[in-house]
């Protein structure tokens, strides 16, 4: 009866209890907790080897050895996988639990082994706490090692000082910087290395900070190993353990000598720039990254009659003509948002109320100080009004030139009919009238030649006016060889009559961006001249070649012939004038080269010529500068 009561008590204990009988370690008494640890039902009388449950193989082996040796053994924090009775789905995974297992041999009165008593206590919480403490200790050691590496490799002097001002730690950089030996007494040596002019201030400020339980930040000069005093920045913060007062201050000393010198240079440079800006007779201003003006030079106040406060952060916009303020402000906001340069021509009010034209420009600068805008308002009222006058004069000259071209074209066209009448009368006179003059034929020939020249001149004038009207023709990408073939096709009769040999090599620069009509006119005039002014004793040879200018890289064209040549003034830029003729005996009006020169000049190019009389001429056409 008492044994049954004892089993009932043990059956529901929170610790696992089981008895294993005989050398086979067969299950005897197993309470509910142990049943759960073993993974469910354990049939009484079945050996542990046949039904190990969740026990690991090494634990089974240790149980067997404890039984054989008769010596008890305690297994500390043995991991046990989660059992199915813990609510874990079959095949699922759950948290591992840890148990202290006491293995006690069961002996009879003769001290012979009868079995084992297994006692299991759940120590999962303690084991997890121990593991977390171990991990935390490892992490603490790792962080401590990292902190020491950082403090000893960083280009700073790190230190720790107690509430009495005694140094507890200083990084090796202090010894490198000061040149002091490692055996030096920090508390005695450090104050002596401070510049005499800074020493009292530094000692007072550090003592006051420690007394007040606060940190400090100040600059002073510290003597380097070479005897030179260098500016350093000392910063420290207290180690707080509320509610106690701080007992340690941890900080760093950083050399800022170069930064201080640079700041001084920048300060002097900024003062010089302000002096320069105030000396310029322009409205100079700067603005923040958001576009609000934060500086005006002195001339701005003189020009506008307003102070910096009166102008405000958007001063120049308020000075514009009311009609122009809104568009100018919108453009300024867009430039501030996009970072694009600002430029515009606006009328700005002067101190006397007069609105004058100004060019307003602003550019954004991005540097280590951040984004800033720099702007200027330049008074161009006189230049603007002069430009308006010049533009009006130019428009008038252009109109006059158009009228003149129209007059010349009309006159040349209207004179053709009287010329036709004269030609008809002359032909009729030659057919019906007779003269008793021995020079009759010579006189008739001269009259005929004069009529022919007049006809050619009128045609050339009409063609010149027509070509000049086409100077502004739109440009396009043209194949030079194709246009040359087109021009030569129109000159086929002259080529056949003269027996000319024409070679073309435009591989070096085969394409040209030009107006088609202008290009055809240039090629036609130069080629027709080469075919017109041929040498009477040799067949004409004409060679066309394209190339790229060595100076500019732009395309050019050379046209070389072996004709009569020309007399050119040496050392002077070749200029061809209207109606200027080199060979009066050859029919022509003297407008071809003049027209070529006009076309090239209008496109930014020019024409060069080199020639030897009775040997030939070479024209070099520079299409673009």
């Amino acid at each position: 009866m008492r044994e049954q009561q004892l089993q009932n008590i043990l059956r529901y204990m929170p610790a696992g209890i089981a008895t294993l009988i005989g050398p086979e370690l067969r299950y005897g008494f197993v309470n509910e907790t142990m049943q759960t640890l073993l993974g469910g039902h354990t049939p009484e009388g079945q050996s542990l080897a046949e039904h190990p449950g969740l026990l690991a193989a090494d634990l089974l082996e240790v149980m067997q050895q404890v039984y054989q040796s008769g010596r008890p053994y305690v297994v500390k924090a043995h991991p046990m996988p989660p059992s199915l009775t813990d609510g874990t789905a079959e095949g699922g995974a759950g948290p591992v639990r840890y148990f202290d297992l006491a293995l006690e041999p069961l002996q009879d009165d003769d001290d012979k082994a009868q079995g084992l008593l297994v006692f299991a206590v759940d120590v999962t919480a303690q084991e997890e706490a121990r593991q977390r403490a171990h991990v935390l200790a490892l992490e603490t050691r790792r962080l401590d090692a990292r902190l020491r590496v950082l403090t000893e490799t960083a280009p700073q002097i790190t230190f720790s000082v107690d509430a009495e001002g005694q140094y507890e730690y200083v990084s090796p950089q202090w010894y490198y910087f000061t040149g002091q030996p490692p055996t030096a007494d920090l508390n005695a040596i450090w104050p002596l290395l401070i510049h005499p002019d800074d020493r009292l201030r530094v000692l007072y400020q550090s003592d006051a900070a420690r007394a007040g339980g606060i940190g400090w930040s100040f600059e002073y000069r510290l003597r380097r190993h070479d005897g030179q005093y260098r500016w350093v920045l000392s910063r420290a913060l207290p180690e707080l353990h509320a509610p106690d007062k701080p007992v340690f201050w941890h900080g760093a000393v950083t050399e800022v000598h170069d930064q201080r010198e640079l700041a001084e240079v920048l300060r002097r440079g900024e003062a010089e720039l302000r002096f320069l800006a105030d000396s310029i007779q322009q409205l100079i201003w700067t603005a923040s990254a958001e576009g609000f003006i934060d500086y005006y030079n002195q001339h701005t106040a003189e020009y506008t009659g307003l102070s910096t406060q009166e102008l405000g952060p958007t001063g120049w916009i308020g000075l514009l003509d009311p009609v122009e303020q809104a568009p100018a402000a919108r453009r300024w906001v867009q430039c501030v948002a996009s970072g694009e340069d600002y430029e515009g021509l606006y009328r700005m009010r002067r101190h006397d109320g007069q609105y004058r034209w100004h060019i307003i420009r602003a550019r954004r600068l991005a540097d280590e100080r951040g984004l800033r805008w720099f702007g200027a308002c330049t008074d161009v009222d006189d230049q603007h009004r002069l430009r308006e006058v010049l533009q009006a004069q130019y428009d008038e000259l252009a109109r006059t030139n158009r009228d003149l071209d129209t007059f010349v074209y009309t006159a040349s066209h209207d004179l053709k009919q009287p010329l036709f009448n004269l030609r008809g009368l002359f032909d009729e006179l030659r057919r019906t009238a007779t003269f008793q003059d021995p020079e009759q034929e010579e006189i008739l020939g001269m009259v005929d030649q004069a009529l022919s020249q007049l006809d050619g001149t009128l045609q050339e004038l009409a063609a010149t006016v027509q070509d000049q009207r086409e100077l502004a023709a739109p440009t396009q990408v043209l194949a030079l060889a194709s246009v040359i073939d087109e021009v030569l096709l129109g000159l086929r009769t002259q080529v056949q009559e003269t027996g000319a040999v024409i070679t073309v090599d435009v591989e070096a620069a085969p394409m040209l961006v030009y107006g088609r009509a202008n290009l055809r006119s240039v090629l036609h005039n130069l080629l027709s001249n080469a075919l017109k002014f041929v040498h009477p004793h040799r067949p004409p040879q004409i060679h066309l070649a394209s190339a790229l200018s060595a100076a500019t890289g732009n395309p050019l064209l050379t046209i070389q012939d072996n004709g009569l040549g020309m007399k050119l003034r040496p050392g002077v830029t070749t200029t061809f004038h209207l109606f200027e003729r080199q060979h009066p005996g050859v029919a022509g009006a003297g407008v071809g080269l003049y027209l070529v020169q006009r076309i090239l000049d209008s496109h930014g190019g020019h024409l060069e010529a080199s020639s030897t009389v009775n040997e030939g001429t070479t024209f070099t056409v520079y299409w673009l500068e």
Side-chain angles (χ1 to χ4, degrees):
M1 183 67 178
R2 294 178 59 187
E3 182 178 353
Q4 183 64 36
Q5 291 178 347
L6 179 60
Q7 287 186 3
N8 290 336
I9 294 173
L10 295 178
R11 187 177 304 278
Y12 300 105
M13 285 187 67
I17 302 175
T19 58
L20 303 175
I21 308 302
E24 296 84 3
L25 300 180
R26 299 182 180 277
Y27 288 111
F29 171 76
V30 181
N31 70 349
E32 296 293 335
T33 303
M34 184 62 78
Q35 288 278 6
T36 302
L37 293 180
L38 294 176
H41 178 67
T42 54
E44 185 176 353
Q46 189 175 10
S47 68
L48 186 63
E50 296 175 355
H51 190 81
L54 300 177
L55 300 180
D58 58 344
L59 180 59
L60 296 178
E61 184 178 352
V62 169
M63 288 180 174
Q64 193 69 37
Q65 292 177 4
V66 170
Y67 171 80
Q68 294 174 0
S69 65
R71 293 191 298 272
Y73 184 71
V74 177
V75 181
K76 291 290 187 180
H78 184 71
M80 297 283 287
S83 64
L84 296 177
T85 57
D86 290 339
T88 304
E90 186 175 358
V96 176
R97 300 175 65 187
Y98 297 89
F99 293 87
D100 283 348
L101 301 176
L103 307 179
E104 185 70 31
L106 294 177
Q107 298 176 341
D108 57 12
D109 295 338
D110 297 330
D111 294 333
K112 291 184 178 180
Q114 288 186 337
L116 283 179
L117 174 63
V118 181
F119 190 79
V121 179
D122 190 339
V123 294
T124 301
Q126 297 90 319
E127 178 62 18
E128 289 178 347
R130 186 192 68 79
Q131 291 182 5
R132 285 194 298 270
H134 177 67
V135 171
L136 183 60
L138 292 178
E139 182 66 15
T140 301
R141 287 197 295 271
R142 185 181 68 84
L143 293 177
D144 183 68
R146 176 184 293 181
L147 178 62
R148 183 169 292 275
V149 170
L150 290 175
T151 57
E152 295 185 358
T153 57
Q156 290 179 315
I157 300 170
T158 55
F159 62 89
S160 295
V161 64
D162 62 17
E164 302 300 324
Q166 301 296 308
Y167 287 94
E168 296 288 330
Y169 166 79
V170 67
S171 63
Q173 286 80 351
W174 185 86
Y175 300 100
Y176 302 151
F177 184 87
T178 62
Q180 299 297 317
T183 57
D185 185 353
L186 284 174
N187 298 296
I189 295 297
W190 197 317
L192 299 179
L193 298 179
I194 300 174
H195 194 282
D197 295 342
D198 302 333
R199 187 177 302 152
L200 181 60
R201 172 177 58 84
V202 170
L203 295 177
Y204 173 79
Q205 290 179 339
S206 59
D207 288 345
R210 290 195 306 274
I214 60 175
W216 68 73
S217 177
F218 48 73
E219 294 181 359
Y220 64 91
R221 285 163 288 183
L222 185 66
R223 193 174 70 197
R224 201 168 58 180
H225 57 82
D226 57 0
Q228 182 181 1
Y229 283 97
R230 307 284 290 180
W231 282 99
V232 297
L233 171 64
S234 177
R235 286 180 175 173
L237 291 174
E239 179 183 323
L240 298 177
H241 298 282
D244 298 332
K245 292 183 178 180
V247 294
F248 287 103
W249 276 255
H250 307 287
V253 175
T254 307
E255 184 178 355
V256 294
H257 193 87
D258 294 336
Q259 292 90 319
R260 278 185 67 102
E261 289 189 344
L262 179 59
E264 180 63 22
V265 171
L266 289 175
R267 187 192 64 78
R268 292 197 302 268
E270 185 172 345
E272 293 174 355
L273 287 175
R274 285 183 178 271
F275 178 78
L276 178 62
D278 289 338
S279 304
I280 297 176
Q281 296 299 306
Q282 284 183 307
L283 282 68
I284 306 296
W285 49 272
T286 63
S288 64
E290 294 77 18
F292 297 110
I293 301 175
D294 51 20
Y295 165 75
Y296 299 95
N297 69 337
Q298 184 176 348
H299 181 70
T300 302
E302 297 172 355
Y303 189 88
T304 62
L306 301 174
S307 65
T308 300
Q309 291 74 19
E310 291 172 328
L311 287 170
T314 58
W316 64 267
I317 295 178
L319 296 173
L320 301 182
D321 186 281
V323 178
E324 299 173 340
Q325 289 183 13
R330 284 196 297 269
R331 175 61 181 156
W332 174 240
V333 171
Q334 292 172 358
C335 290
V336 169
S338 64
E340 298 178 2
D341 293 348
Y342 183 91
E343 182 169 351
L345 180 65
Y346 302 103
R347 287 170 293 176
M348 181 177 288
R349 187 179 68 251
R350 200 166 56 180
H351 60 84
D352 57 2
Q354 180 184 356
Y355 283 94
R356 295 177 61 83
W357 287 100
H358 283 72
I359 292 179
I360 302 178
R361 294 189 179 97
R363 296 183 63 186
R364 189 176 70 171
L365 172 66
D367 56 14
E368 65 277 0
R369 300 171 63 184
L371 297 178
R372 299 184 68 196
W373 286 87
F374 292 81
C377 304
T378 307
D379 189 330
V380 294
D381 192 79
D382 296 337
Q383 298 90 315
H384 183 78
R385 297 185 187 280
L386 177 60
R387 187 183 302 112
E388 289 180 339
V389 172
L390 293 176
Q391 183 64 42
Q393 293 178 350
Y394 174 79
D395 293 341
E396 178 65 21
L397 288 174
R399 185 186 63 79
T400 303
N401 190 49
R402 288 194 300 270
D403 292 344
L404 183 59
D405 285 347
T406 302
F407 171 76
V408 173
Y409 185 78
T410 303
S412 63
H413 182 272
D414 293 343
L415 287 174
K416 287 182 180 180
Q417 187 59 43
L419 179 62
F420 292 155
N421 294 338
L422 286 175
R423 169 64 68 180
L425 291 173
F426 176 71
D427 292 341
E428 181 64 22
L429 180 63
R430 170 179 280 180
R431 186 179 62 84
T432 60
T434 59
F435 302 92
Q436 301 300 321
D437 192 334
E439 298 180 355
Q440 171 184 342
E441 292 300 327
E442 183 178 354
I443 294 174
L444 292 176
M446 293 173 61
V447 173
D448 185 53
Q449 183 179 4
L451 290 174
S452 299
Q453 288 180 352
L454 179 58
D455 182 38
T457 301
L458 292 177
Q459 292 181 6
E460 291 285 353
L461 283 174
T464 301
V465 173
Q466 185 64 30
D467 288 338
Q468 288 190 158
R469 290 177 175 177
E470 295 177 350
L471 289 179
T475 60
Q476 56 183 306
V477 179
L478 300 171
L480 192 57
S482 175
V483 180
I484 291 174
D485 290 342
E486 182 181 338
V487 173
L488 289 177
L489 183 61
L491 297 173
R492 179 176 53 185
T493 303
Q494 292 92 317
V495 173
Q496 293 175 350
E497 289 177 352
T498 58
V501 177
I502 300 176
T503 58
V504 179
D505 180 10
V506 293
E507 292 297 326
M511 309 303 292
L512 180 65
V513 179
Y514 223 69
R516 173 176 288 274
N518 294 329
L519 178 58
R520 290 184 71 258
S521 180
V522 170
L523 294 174
H524 176 82
N525 279 286
L526 293 177
L527 286 172
S528 63
N529 274 359
L531 293 171
K532 185 186 300 182
F533 299 104
V534 298
H535 197 281
H537 302 304
R538 56 175 176 263
Q541 293 184 353
I542 304 172
H543 180 65
L544 291 84
S546 66
L548 295 176
S549 172
T552 63
N554 290 326
L556 56 87
L557 179 70
T558 59
I559 300 178
Q560 182 179 10
D561 64 57
N562 62 343
L564 295 175
M566 297 185 296
K567 292 181 180 180
L568 302 175
R569 288 177 292 176
V572 180
T573 303
T574 304
T575 303
F576 300 99
H577 301 283
L578 188 62
F579 304 127
E580 182 181 41
R581 301 178 62 193
Q582 286 278 342
H583 301 282
V586 180
V591 297
L593 294 179
Y594 168 77
L595 181 59
V596 169
Q597 188 171 261
R598 283 287 305 275
I599 293 174
L600 295 176
D601 290 345
S602 68
H603 288 79
H606 68 281
L607 178 67
E608 291 184 359
S610 60
S611 183
T612 302
V613 176
N614 293 326
E615 292 186 9
T617 303
T618 299
F619 288 101
T620 304
V621 180
Y622 291 88
W623 303 109
L624 304 165
E625 291 295 343

